[in-house]
Structures are given as C-alpha cells and as structure tokens.
Amino acid sequence: MIYSNLEMQTKIYDHTSIEERWQKTWEERKLFQNMAATVAPGDDWLYLLFAFAYPSGQGLHVGHVESKTALDILARFNRMHGKKVFFPVGWDAFGLPAENYAIKTGVHPAETTRNAIHTFRRQIKRVGISYDWEAEIATSHPGYYKWTQWLFLELYKKGLAYQGDGMVNWCPSCQTVLANEQVVNGACERCETEVIQKKMKQWFFKITDYKDELISGLDQVDWPEATKQQQLHWIGKSEGHEVVWEVVDGAGIPNGKSIKTFTTRLDTIFGVTFIALSVKHDLVGEIRPLGKEAQKYVSEAVIQSESEAKRSGSKNGIDTGTKVKHPITGELIPVWIADFVIGSYGTGAVMGVPGHDGRDNEFAKIHTIKIERAIEGNQENSSDLYEGKGVLTTDFPNFGGLTSEQAIEKIEAEPTYSGVITKTTQYKLRDWLISRQRYWGTPIPIVYDPEGNPHQVKEEHLPWTLPTDVDFKPTGESPLTSSKEFHARVEKLYGKGWRPEYDTMDTFIDSSWYYLRYGSARDETQFADPEQLKALLPVDFYMIGPEHIVLHLLYSRFFTKFLRDQGYLKFDEPFTKMRHQGMIMGPDGKKMSKSKGNVINPDEIIEKFGADTLRVYEMFMGPIESDKPWDISAVAGVYRFLQRTQTALLSQVGEAATPDHPEFLAVRRKLHQTIAKVSSHIPALKFNTAIAALMECLNLFERANRAEKFVLPDGEVRAWTQLIAPFAPFLAEELYQIAVGTTGDEFISVHQSVWPEADAELSAETAFEIPIQIDGKVRARLQIAADQAEDEAFVVAQAQANAVVRRWLAGKKPAIRYIPGKIVSFSTQA
RNA sequence: GCCUCGGUGGCGGAAUUGGUAUACGCGUUAGACUUAAAAUCUGAUGGUCUUACGACCUUGUGGGUUCGAGUCCCACCCGAGGCACCA
C-alpha cells in the first residue's frame, strides 16, 4: 500500500509528510533509474546535462538548486511527452579543496570527498531532482580514472601528450604550477599570492592541433553569443605578416643575425622607428653592443615578473645600441628592449610604429624616439585608424599614394620580399599544461626507466591507482614522491631503478570527458560503449554556470574532436545546445558569501516551506539566465500559492462537475489556455511565466468558486495536477494520486502520465476587447464577440459610433485602419 | 580600450517580436474574521493635476522611422560580466 493516509488529508498543506512519502515511493519503485540500459535502436533520446559539480564541504547551495531544478523540469516535461530522457549525475571529485583540508586537518581527501558526496546526494534527492543514480560517477573512483588514464595514453600514442620544458607559473604558497587561467592579475586565483615564473619539465596536451576546428565548430552549436565570443577570444586568431629584420654591424653590414616581428598592420611598416624585444627574447644578451646599463636593466626586468609590468602598464625600456635594416626602405632602425612586449605572444618582438599605434606612441614619447607618420588622415597616436582605407603619404618611392590595401598587395607580390615579409597567422592559444604537483588527482600513467626516459604504463596495469601512503605537507615536490608503495609497485612491475611519474593530472581533464562516460558508467572493458554513445550523444542540452565556460568547454571540445579522429565518436561537437543559469544573490543583492553572512541555506527553506516551494520559488524569481536577489517574503507567496492549489484541487475530488455554474466555460477556457501556455513556456525555458500562468488560472478559479461552488470535470482536474508536476513534483504526485483514486499497488506516477493537451475550441476566446487609438493614443475600448472580429466594416462602425471617439473625431476626416482582433486606429494627420 | 549582456512601478519581473505598457508575485494600504495578535481571506495600489467627468506624463537620455515604438534605426549616458601592453 503506497498510499495509506488518504483520509487524513485536511486543508493544511503538510509539505513534510507529502515530500517524504513520495521521495520514498519513487525510490522504492526506481522511477527513471538505469535508463542507459534501456537503449534500443530508433529511440528518441534527450540527453540533459548539468555541469559536473565539485562536492564541496559546504553542501548544496541555492544556486545548485536553480539549475538542477530547471533541468529537472525539462526532464519531467519531456518524459511526459513520451521522450526517453537521460539525466545523469556525477562528481568532479578530485581537486584542491579536499587536499588543502587534508594538509590542515590530516583527514584523508578520500574521506572528505566521500562525506561531501553523501551530503549532496541526500540533499539533491530531497529537492526531488529526478537524476538517474544508476549512472552516477565520481572522477576519484578508479573505475572512472582508469579511463582518464586511458585517454592520456591515447593522446600520448598519437604524440598529442608530450613532455616539454618551459617557464611555468608557480605559486609559492600552494607549491604548485598554475595554468595561465589560474593566474588572476599576476596572483594565484586561490590564495592571491604573487605568482613567480619557474622552469620545469611538464606534460602538455597539444590542443593547438585543433585550433582552427575549435573556431569553426562554434558555427554548429546553439550557445549564447557571449560564450562563443569568449572562446574565440581565448583562441585569439589573428592574421597578419611576419617581417624579418636583419641585424647590422657598426658599418651597416648584416652580421647574419635577424629579428622577426609580427604585425596585423603591414602597411604601417613605413612608419617604423624602432624595434622592441621582450625581455625574454632569445637575442637579449646576445646582440652587441649591450652596455652595462642595458645588462642591468634586463636582469632587473626579468626578475620583475612580466605580470607586474602588465598590471602597472609601465613603458620601461632601453636602447641596445644595435640596429636593424628596414627591409623596404633600407633605413637603419634602433633595437630596444621593452617590458611592454609580451614574450609568449607572436615572435616576442614588435616593430614600433609610434605614428600610428597608441602604445608605441607612448613608449616613443617617454624615450624620445622619432615619431614618423606613414599614412594620411589619421590621428597621430591613435590605433583605430585602420580600416584598410588609409592612404600612404607620398614620402615612399613606389608606395606613396597607395591605399593600405594596395600597399600590402604590392609587398606580398614583390619577389624581393619573399622570405622576408610573409603572410602568417598568430594564435593566443597555447598547448595545455596538464601536470600538477599535487596529490588528489589522477596519476599520470607514465614510468621512467633508469636513464630517465618516459614509458607508458602498460594498459593491463590500469587503473594506475593513486597511492594512499603519502605525506600531504607541501615540500615543493609532488606529494606522490613520498609514497613507498608507489615506488615498490613500479620497481616490481617494471624493474629495478625505474620510477613513477609523481605529478597528477589537471582536474580539468577529468571533467572534460565525463559526459561520454555516463552511458557506460559501470563498463570495465571500455571507456564508453559505442551503442550507448550513438544513442545518447551528443548532449542535447547543457546547463552550466557562466564562470568556468572558456576552458572546460574548450577542453571538452578538444577531447571530442580527438576521439572522433580516433574513430570512437561520430560527432564533432559535444554540446548541441547550452545555456547558463544566472547567479542567485543574497537578500542584500550581493553575491552570497559566508563572510557577508547573506547565504541562504536550502535545507532551512525546505524545512520550513518544503522542497516544492523552494523549486517553484527559484523558478519564479525571474529568467533563468539572469542574476536575481533572494526575497524571503516572496518565498512565502509561493508557499501560499501551493497551499491554495492544494485546497482548490482537493475541493474537486469526488465531486460532480457543475456545468450550470455561470463561469463554468470561462474557468475551463482559462485552464485550457494555461495548458497551452505552460506547454510552450517550458521548452522555451520561460519557467517564471509558466508559473505566473498557473497562478492566474488559480486566481480565476477561486473567484468563480467563491461566488458559487465550482467543480471541473474529472479529466481537467487531473490535467491541472499534471501541469504543476514538473515544477512541484511532490505536491503534484499527491494531488494526482488522490484525483485518480489510486489504491493498493496500481501506482502510476503523475510523472509517468501523458501530458495533457489543450482543447483549441475550449480555449478560444469568445470576446475581445479592442482598443481604439486616435493619433496613437488609446481613447476607448470596444467589446467585440469573437465571430465579429473579422468583420472590419462592423467593427469600424462600432468604433465610430462610440461617444468618446465621436467627440475626439468631431469635424475631422481621419484615415481608418483595423488590425483584426488587435486594434482600431484613426489618424487625423495627413 | 575591446567583446557580450542589460536599464520597464517602492521591489523581483511580464509584454504573443511593431498593436491595450506595468501580467504574476512581493511590498504598501483599507477592510473582514479575532478579546488581541499571527495566519487566512477581500478590495485598492505607476506618477502629476482635478470635488468630479477626465486630462496630461511615464519603459536610462536625446533624436528619427511609423497611423502606432518598451520593441526598429542613429547618437549618447549608466550598470553587470568577460578579456586586455596580443603588436
């Protein structure tokens, strides 16, 4: 007996008992569980995905509830339309917070993580999110990270995972390498310590191999424009020319060395008055002469991190005394070293055009370098002069008077410049540095022979398990160095003198392929079953916060394209449609944070008002994608709405319909209109207006019922309970089961029922109120029966007969316009 | 500086994409019920002027297109997020 206390129903909305009862029932009946096992040919699947979450010790946040509920509504709505819905959940369980906690308290990250996941799972179930728990995954589980390691080895075998040397960002406090994106204004994003540069041997993924496809693929997806723009900006494709400048000796004779610069404005080459090298440029220290002062400057500048120069916007620099030869004019140009030149972009050197570039202009003025104008009609120090339309000044033989476009074409066509000036494309995107000197992550499946050469861990040794006997305390070395078991394992399997790779992988790797694993979460033989992949992927709808979008999406797209090229996947882009939820702000309108004391705890709201209220309130707050402040009294308003809904629907059960009620058709019309509205607003993600429509419907019903007892036909009572099911699944289940009179075990959930359809005839309005506009102002309104709305002559005659209209139009001959069913417009002008 | 969103009552927000601006909710206020309060229910609620009928104003600002503009066009102001000495 699933429903034992029907009789106890009263007018009181007892959210706690309702929600406990149905959570238990759904769980016992395994509603919507293990869906991937039901994959069959010809299925119409909808794959809904929520951003992989880190199971933090803080537990569920109201922000999580918002996006999870939005997806849950889509899941329930689509299931009721007969679609098979795949709606899995998992945990991005490796990561720094658990490790930092371990350093502080000694509690093993595995334990912290396990507890946090338990908390999240309990809270999510309480909110009624209809996840498929049978497909649950956690990146820290060997059954998962075995395949993360497999992915690494696939990349390694194709040469896309390689070891490289280079300057890396090092956080002295966290004792780890940081990716560029983890450096914010020159400081560690986590602890805000100033980041320094350090040279280390690291593993990289060659994402740059896919740079062009990562740009073009954006045309295939339905994503917010801003997200696409951010991706493009990160990849930073820029077309221009590389120019080789020959270094000359004191007599002006080339000495065999050269400097390359990159420019997007080749036409300004005639205005070059200096060349500037980055302090990290290879030639710094090599070119002669380099005076003592310059030596000193360079060493200071190298010590001073580049990021500091960036922040201060400084324009320091020094003349090296060296000169290069202008490839076109033959003029000798001084070479400077300048801190505003970025070592890692382009060639690490720029041609200085102070006549046409604001930044170069600033530098030239400070250091009194000649400023020369090459193009007419532009502001002296502006960089916005170009649109390909500038005209070169007449000072340049063969080029004077040409437009920028013509000059560039001419240079490109001139054989003399072949190999000196070359059309080229630059990208900001760098290869992905994936090594982390951290414990709580996926071990890199590499071992080193006694000579120090890397070898891949044999596939039969996967999962290459993370040792547990480590010292978390930061020493500047990877914690795995301290594991005895790890060393013993490698020597036993690979031979004496062999050692493991001590670094772990960036957790972005774990979280950038997880959506491929859900369908085969327990498969120990392959990373994903091809049949599952074919049926479920790509992801139809992805809901993800706006904060992590650039890298996670770029990496996910890279993996997808790589695995496609290996023949594992048949699609190019992993996420067909994506939207971002807004942030829920504290009641003070500020971002919620513990220090501000404005955090709303979902458990407290559920305790007091119930999960249904929490869900409906968060959906009612406003558009899903915008930021919204929390308003506790509005929560109570939603609670009242659910309570009134219960009262209204309970009053209908077991009663005979009241066709003689004067409002009978009006209320039913409203209900059918509401069915139509809710049905169209849900797929459009307009949850707030769908709920407003349900409120309007209830208001009209209550007004009619107040005047005289009102009872809807049975089917419409059931339809009403179905309409609220996606939003308030617990209350809807309760009312639906009462409405259908479920007894014993013949239980079919409201969430398994078929979504109601609006009756077009019933929902059609019988009368319109048509405004009458005179010169753009509404002066009167007309009541017109629906069957007269198409009759223009009649409507216009009615309008003209209106007393107010006659007063306004007295003595005038207006132009008349009638938009059927919308408006009558009189115009007295012209 | 660049990119992307936004700007509508006291507040959160609606507006079928050019056709009744302010739906729905909150708040406020008057009332009912109550010994009282809470809860619940009912009515009012953009602004100014007016005894009233009503008039005028109102979607960040200023122009424009149109019979008609929150919606389209031009210029600007303000806010949020992202990127940024990227050559």
Side-chain angles (χ1 to χ4, degrees), chain A residues 265 267-268 353-362 365 371-387:
Chain A
R265 290 285 317 278
D267 54 317
T268 64
V353 189
H356 300 288
D357 180 274
R359 190 183 40 223
D360 295 347
N361 185 268
E362 207 186 316
K365 278 187 174 154
I371 295 170
E372 210 162 84
R373 314 246 314 118
I375 297 165
E376 287 172 347
N378 297 306
Q379 300 290 315
E380 181 189 320
N381 62 351
S382 128
S383 53
D384 62 10
L385 50 112
Y386 185 60
E387 262 147 30

Side-chain angles (χ1 to χ4, degrees), chain A residues 180-196:
Chain A
N180 286 334
E181 54 277 7
Q182 290 169 314
V183 180
V184 178
N185 288 331
C188 173
E189 89 177 331
R190 213 171 295 275
C191 67
E192 294 180 13
T193 306
E194 169 113 6
V195 171
I196 60 169

Side-chain angles (χ1 to χ4, degrees), chain A residues 713-766:
Chain A
D714 279 353
E716 288 170 15
V717 174
R718 279 199 300 277
W720 194 340
T721 66
Q722 290 175 290
L723 287 186
I724 61 170
F727 304 96
F730 298 102
L731 178 63
E733 187 77 286
E734 175 89 359
L735 297 174
Y736 180 80
Q737 297 305 335
I738 294 170
V740 299
T742 298
T743 55
D745 285 334
E746 291 163 28
F747 167 76
I748 294 171
S749 169
V750 65
H751 305 292
Q752 295 167 301
S753 68
V754 175
W755 188 257
E757 224 171 287
D759 182 320
E761 212 168 300
L762 261 173
S763 52
E765 286 292 349
T766 54

Side-chain angles (χ1 to χ4, degrees), chain A residues 203-370:
Chain A
W203 286 95
F204 291 86
F205 282 173
K206 211 169 174 189
I207 188 172
T208 51
D209 266 18
Y210 286 89
K211 54 188 188 272
D212 284 312
E213 213 200 327
L214 288 170
I215 294 171
S216 63
L218 291 173
D219 293 339
Q220 299 178 23
V221 293
D222 174 6
W223 292 5
E225 189 53 33
T227 306
K228 291 187 182 184
Q229 290 300 330
Q230 283 186 48
Q231 296 251 309
L232 286 174
H233 197 265
W234 193 264
I235 298 165
K237 182 176 180 174
S238 159
E239 288 175 351
H241 295 80
E242 195 173 87
V243 181
V244 180
W245 307 76
E246 290 193 308
V247 179
V248 297
D249 61 21
I253 312 295
N255 67 1
K257 292 188 165 54
S258 65
I259 296 167
K260 287 180 183 167
T261 61
F262 173 73
T263 179
T264 52
R265 290 285 317 278
L266 182 60
D267 54 317
T268 64
I269 194 166
F270 297 101
V272 170
T273 57
F274 68 96
I275 297 291
L277 304 180
S278 140
V279 293
K280 290 180 189 166
H281 196 281
D282 290 345
L283 240 52
V284 170
E286 221 186 284
I287 50 176
R288 290 288 178 265
L290 184 64
K292 252 193 186 151
E293 205 189 337
Q295 297 268 26
K296 186 164 166 264
Y297 168 71
V298 170
S299 54
E300 274 169 10
V302 171
I303 289 164
Q304 182 204 40
S305 65
E306 192 175 88
S307 54
E308 196 176 305
K310 266 189 203 176
R311 266 178 300 164
S312 62
S314 65
K315 290 283 180 297
N316 297 318
I318 188 128
D319 189 349
T320 64
T322 299
K323 299 249 189 311
V324 292
K325 201 171 135 195
H326 193 294
I328 296 175
T329 66
E331 208 181 329
L332 295 187
I333 311 277
V335 177
W336 286 65
I337 294 165
D339 63 357
F340 76 87
V341 181
I342 298 167
S344 56
Y345 181 72
T347 60
V350 298
M351 54 181 224
V353 189
H356 300 288
D357 180 274
R359 190 183 40 223
D360 295 347
N361 185 268
E362 207 186 316
F363 186 79
K365 278 187 174 154
I366 291 171
H367 301 284
T368 54
I369 299 172
K370 188 171 52 165

